[in-house]
Amino acid sequence: MEHTHISLAHGNGGHFMRELIDDLFARHLSNDILNTSTDAATLPVINGEPVMTTDGFTVKPLEFPGGNIGSLAVHGTVNDLAVAGATPLYLSLNAFIEEGLEISLLDRLIQSLADAAREANVRVVTGDTKVVPHGEGSGLYLATTGIGVRATRQALGMHHIRPGDLVLVSGPVGDHGTAVMLAREQFGLRGDLQSDSASVLPLTQALLPLPGLRFMRDPTRGGLASVMHEIRLATGHGIRLQQASIPIHDPVSVVCEMLGYDPLYLACEGRVVAILSEEDSEAALAAWRELPRGNAAAIIGEITTDQPHIVLQTPLGGTRILEELEDDPLPRIC
Amino acid sequence: MEHTHISLAHGNGGHFMRELIDDLFARHLSNDILNTSTDAATLPVINGEPVMTTDGFTVKPLEFPGGNIGSLAVHGTVNDLAVAGATPLYLSLNAFIEEGLEISLLDRLIQSLADAAREANVRVVTGDTKVVPHGEGSGLYLATTGIGVRATRQALGMHHIRPGDLVLVSGPVGDHGTAVMLAREQFGLRGDLQSDSASVLPLTQALLPLPGLRFMRDPTRGGLASVMHEIRLATGHGIRLQQASIPIHDPVSVVCEMLGYDPLYLACEGRVVAILSEEDSEAALAAWRELPRGNAAAIIGEITTDQPHIVLQTPLGGTRILEELEDDPLPRIC
């Protein structure tokens, strides 16, 4: 391409736009279904229950340790399908590109998106690009919509959750939120902490055979605490969490203590929270710990018949109520 | 809701966000599949070929005569499915909302989106909202992804186009682009011209029974001329258009003449360009003219074996070559 930066003409439907789509997007994303000369992709017949989800991405900065907005846009949507018990198949991709964005940066981001899609075994089958004037758009926003398929079997959902069920998490919480925060120059901090951004499909598929599996969710915006509140609201049950059991990487604890954040409210992008019957919880834990991204998995609490609060039991025997998030602890982390 | 304007806390995963989603988005969009307490929607089994498409929307201003970004976000995606020969079924919705946007305006836009979806008989089954800081985002960007179904029958596509085939358009071109332009205060112009934004599904379904139907496209960004260039590039054939046959509303001609735009490059959001065999073209024209939104339909040109140019034949017998769009004639019209 003759340009080094995105201009408004890359969004006008003419030949610069076609060049951008063919030379950059289609070059990375090429597969047997994507056809940039049609506006709609024809998919193979879907055998089973189709599942659909969507997510928007506005992370700042666009690149951070452990990932970037491109890989995140795949993981976010793939993970929403995975925790619904589905196998992700197809993605659509929307890019809102800011005038002036370096084309070499855009190229890296889309290559990373393509790599993440290949790893998760999903194909980007259709897309659209819009260019917005310099000063709007913060470089790049992405939106992805995912289609997956689920064998019609045991349905998962919060309405299956019962008192006595246990709460599991697949790995340390708050890495993504903390890594993105550290990548912002405004904090003047540097660390070697990486985002946990990844496909959770191996983790969710490991639990699907267990009949006591009630519900799974990836704790993104609002973190682990917000998933707990969603369960509380939907079920009317309380949840008691054991603080000492919740895995948290040391650098996350340190940074959060310095800056006054609670890691239980910070986003993960590659973790799963699962609720299982007590009898199946040990099997779930064992299955997760065999996986490379599940070796720090833990049983962290249980569903109670107490007052419908989220109660954190501290190591010294005290308790603290985890309130619902009001102010934004950390904007623009996904 | 206790707020009158969107704040960053409406995007953080906490209870303001849930209020915004439940009290505003879900209230308008409610249907039997949408469930705001899950991240993924389970769809009924799709009988036939699934078709998937996506579109982003950054129109400025957000409201314009004849529509707004909400209705446009439905029509744009529904129409991409319709011109692919499919029946639209489901939409996903992404909203990138700028901090400070009036909630009453957002409410109007999403209500209009919901009305357009009901009219087109599609259901919004999943969605996501992100809030971006004041100064980014221009109020609201939307992205919709659509899933439709197509009976596996005659395939449509540019590769079916042959010399001698005729070019039809379902109605006057350039209304949407001109209406949006007039709605911008910067031009200081006012008129009663309305955007043509609408579902084209009745128009496309009217042509599907015709065996001579080769290809359909809705001429959005870049207008009629850009669709012609896409065909030229894909087929290597030239196209000869009869200027006098191309329907254009008088106010569009007048405004374009005043401001130096060519209506053939301006976006429509409710028109169809169709290529048919000569023998089926009259039947197509008759079918369109019976429809309320097709009464000004016209046969406007033919595919030629001439030089691969888009040639406009003027009423006085002269010819003009329609070049491919380079600069943006009119940014942010969709």
Side-chain angles (χ1 to χ4, degrees):
Chain A
M1 267 178 296
E2 58 213 284
H3 298 86
T4 58
H5 292 76
I6 293 291
S7 70
L8 287 176
H10 284 108
N12 71 357
H15 94 253
F16 291 137
M17 184 171 108
R18 213 183 42 248
E19 256 178 41
L20 178 71
I21 289 173
D22 288 345
D23 296 354
L24 196 156
F25 283 89
R27 181 165 56 83
H28 291 305
L29 298 170
S30 153
N31 62 62
D32 55 335
I33 298 179
L34 182 67
N35 178 346
T36 61
S37 76
T38 63
D39 275 343
T42 301
L43 307 180
V45 168
I46 295 170
N47 293 308
E49 253 180 9
V51 179
M52 186 173 187
T53 189
T54 197
D55 235 328
F57 301 89
T58 63
V59 66
K60 193 173 178 174
L62 296 174
E63 300 179 292
F64 47 83
N68 59 44
I69 193 171
S71 53
L72 189 64
V74 171
H75 296 147
T77 292
V78 159
N79 290 351
D80 282 347
L81 292 171
V83 296
T87 304
L89 298 173
Y90 310 111
L91 293 181
S92 72
L93 173 65
N94 280 278
F96 297 92
I97 313 170
E98 185 183 2
E99 177 189 19
L101 184 71
E102 264 187 273
I103 290 178
S104 61
L105 170 57
L106 182 62
D107 191 72
R108 279 202 303 283
L109 300 173
I110 301 304
Q111 171 158 12
S112 172
L113 189 154
D115 291 344
R118 255 186 301 275
E119 252 177 65
N121 205 21
V122 292
R123 284 175 282 189
V124 176
V125 296
T126 183
D128 186 53
T129 58
K130 288 286 183 292
V131 177
V132 298
H134 183 69
E136 291 181 19
S138 193
L140 183 67
Y141 301 148
L142 296 178
T144 49
T145 293
I147 297 288
V149 65
R150 182 166 53 199
T152 31
R153 52 172 296 286
Q154 142 214 31
L156 302 177
M158 287 194 264
H159 56 287
H160 296 292
I161 295 173
R162 300 280 173 271
D165 287 350
L166 298 186
V167 181
L168 280 78
V169 66
S170 66
V173 299
D175 290 12
H176 176 75
T178 311
V180 170
M181 181 168 63
L182 289 182
R184 291 186 191 156
E185 306 217 341
Q186 68 199 82
F187 287 101
L189 288 170
R190 284 288 171 275
D192 55 4
L193 188 77
Q194 300 248 317
S195 164
D196 54 292
S197 179
S199 163
V200 300
L201 191 62
L203 295 162
T204 59
Q205 288 187 322
L207 301 200
L208 285 178
L210 297 171
L213 177 65
R214 316 289 199 206
F215 173 74
M216 296 187 284
R217 177 62 61 88
D218 53 328
T220 57
R221 264 185 295 187
L224 175 65
S226 294
V227 175
M228 296 298 101
H229 277 284
E230 284 185 59
I231 293 173
R232 172 186 67 78
L233 281 161
T235 64
H237 300 314
I239 301 176
R240 180 171 294 260
L241 299 176
Q242 301 298 330
Q243 186 171 25
S245 305
I246 302 173
I248 300 177
H249 277 136
D250 286 342
V252 171
S253 302
V254 170
V255 168
C256 284
E257 202 150 304
M258 280 176 58
L259 298 178
Y261 292 116
D262 184 338
L264 303 186
Y265 292 87
L266 295 189
C268 312
E269 291 288 346
R271 307 298 180 206
V272 179
V273 174
I275 314 293
L276 288 107
S277 66
E278 195 190 347
E279 51 270 33
D280 276 349
S281 290
E282 284 298 336
L285 188 64
W288 271 358
R289 286 195 170 164
E290 277 177 27
L291 296 171
R293 300 185 49 82
N295 55 16
I299 296 173
I300 60 169
E302 67 175 317
I303 310 295
T304 69
T305 52
D306 302 349
Q307 292 288 318
H309 290 307
I310 311 302
V311 175
L312 190 70
Q313 188 108 33
T314 63
L316 299 175
T319 60
R320 175 159 78 87
I321 288 185
L322 293 183
E323 299 292 348
E324 199 175 358
L325 200 58
E326 295 238 347
D327 291 321
D328 206 346
L330 209 57
R332 309 286 296 281
I333 42 65
C334 62
Chain B
M1 267 179 295
E2 58 213 282
H3 298 88
T4 57
H5 293 76
I6 293 292
S7 71
L8 286 175
H10 284 107
N12 71 356
H15 93 253
F16 291 137
M17 185 172 107
R18 213 184 43 249
E19 258 179 40
L20 178 70
I21 289 173
D22 288 345
D23 296 354
L24 195 155
F25 284 89
R27 181 165 55 81
H28 290 304
L29 298 171
S30 154
N31 62 61
D32 55 335
I33 299 178
L34 181 67
N35 178 346
T36 61
S37 75
T38 64
D39 275 344
T42 301
L43 308 180
V45 167
I46 295 169
N47 293 307
E49 252 179 9
V51 179
M52 186 174 188
T53 189
T54 197
D55 234 327
F57 302 88
T58 63
V59 65
K60 192 174 180 174
L62 297 174
E63 300 179 292
F64 47 82
N68 60 44
I69 193 172
S71 53
L72 190 64
V74 171
H75 296 147
T77 292
V78 159
N79 290 351
D80 283 347
L81 292 172
V83 296
T87 303
L89 298 173
Y90 310 111
L91 292 181
S92 72
L93 173 65
N94 279 279
F96 297 92
I97 312 171
E98 186 183 4
E99 178 189 17
L101 184 70
E102 263 187 275
I103 291 179
S104 61
L105 170 57
L106 183 62
D107 191 72
R108 278 202 304 282
L109 300 174
I110 301 305
Q111 171 158 12
S112 172
L113 189 153
D115 291 343
R118 257 185 299 275
E119 253 176 66
N121 205 20
V122 292
R123 283 176 283 189
V124 175
V125 296
T126 184
D128 186 53
T129 58
K130 288 286 183 293
V131 177
V132 298
H134 183 69
E136 290 181 20
S138 192
L140 183 67
Y141 302 147
L142 296 177
T144 50
T145 293
I147 298 288
V149 64
R150 182 167 52 199
T152 32
R153 52 172 294 287
Q154 141 213 32
L156 302 177
M158 286 194 267
H159 55 288
H160 294 292
I161 295 173
R162 299 282 172 270
D165 287 349
L166 299 186
V167 181
L168 281 76
V169 66
S170 66
V173 300
D175 290 12
H176 176 73
T178 311
V180 170
M181 180 170 62
L182 288 183
R184 290 186 190 155
E185 307 219 342
Q186 70 200 78
F187 287 103
L189 289 171
R190 283 289 170 273
D192 55 4
L193 188 78
Q194 300 249 318
S195 163
D196 54 292
S197 178
S199 162
V200 301
L201 191 63
L203 294 163
T204 58
Q205 288 188 321
L207 301 200
L208 285 178
L210 297 172
L213 177 65
R214 315 290 199 206
F215 173 75
M216 296 186 285
R217 178 62 62 87
D218 53 329
T220 58
R221 262 184 298 187
L224 174 66
S226 294
V227 175
M228 297 297 103
H229 277 285
E230 285 185 60
I231 293 173
R232 172 185 67 79
L233 281 160
T235 64
H237 300 313
I239 301 177
R240 179 171 293 260
L241 299 175
Q242 300 299 328
Q243 187 172 25
S245 305
I246 302 173
I248 300 177
H249 277 136
D250 285 342
V252 171
S253 302
V254 170
V255 168
C256 284
E257 201 149 306
M258 278 176 60
L259 298 177
Y261 291 117
D262 184 339
L264 303 186
Y265 292 86
L266 295 189
C268 313
E269 290 288 346
R271 307 296 180 207
V272 180
V273 174
I275 313 292
L276 289 106
S277 66
E278 195 190 348
E279 49 270 35
D280 275 349
S281 291
E282 284 296 336
L285 188 64
W288 271 358
R289 287 195 169 164
E290 275 176 28
L291 296 170
R293 299 185 50 81
N295 56 18
I299 296 173
I300 60 170
E302 67 174 318
I303 310 296
T304 68
T305 51
D306 303 349
Q307 292 288 316
H309 290 306
I310 311 302
V311 175
L312 190 70
Q313 187 108 32
T314 63
L316 299 175
T319 60
R320 176 159 78 86
I321 288 184
L322 293 183
E323 298 293 346
E324 200 175 358
L325 201 56
E326 295 238 346
D327 292 319
D328 207 346
L330 209 57
R332 309 289 295 282
I333 40 68
C334 61

